[in-house]
């Protein structure tokens, strides 16, 4: 099975080749395909994560609305509104 990665991930992986000993990075796609078909960045993992458990925990803590979760809880980095 194959899966696409982002341009940023491909560049990072190439940087790992040869880090601890001599090595090389072989890619089986053209530079044109890399530039036109690969996303610049990998989407944030949270976009693919089931947050049901988190929402239920917040409800158990007493949060009763999405507004309360977004506006009244202290986040390290608040989400975009």
């Amino acid at each position: 099975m194959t899966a696409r990665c982002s341009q940023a991930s491909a560049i990072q992986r190439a940087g790992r080749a040869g880090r601890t000993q001599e090595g090389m990075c072989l890619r089986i796609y053209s530079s044109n395909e890399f530039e036109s078909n690969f996303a610049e960045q990998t989407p944030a993992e949270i976009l693919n994560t089931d947050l049901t458990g988190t929402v239920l925990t917040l409800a158990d803590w007493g949060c009763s609305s999405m507004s309360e979760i977004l506006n009244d809880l202290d986040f390290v980095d608040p989400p975009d509104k």
Side-chain angles (χ1 to χ4, degrees), residues 7-71:
Q7 291 178 3
S9 291
I11 291 167
Q12 181 186 31
R13 289 176 190 193
R16 291 182 183 147
R19 183 169 291 172
T20 59
Q21 62 186 17
E22 203 161 314
M24 66 175 66
C25 175
L26 301 175
R27 296 190 173 154
I28 53 173
Y29 48 84
S30 68
S31 58
N32 184 41
E33 183 179 2
F34 178 75
E35 293 170 6
S36 61
N37 295 333
F38 284 53
E40 263 189 57
Q41 298 288 329
T42 304
E45 188 63 31
I46 197 166
L47 297 174
N48 299 317
T49 302
D50 182 5
L51 298 175
T52 304
T54 304
V55 172
L56 291 173
T57 299
L58 289 169
D60 188 44
W61 290 351
C63 295
S64 59
S65 69
M66 188 58 74
S67 175
E68 185 177 3
I69 293 168
L70 294 175
N71 298 321

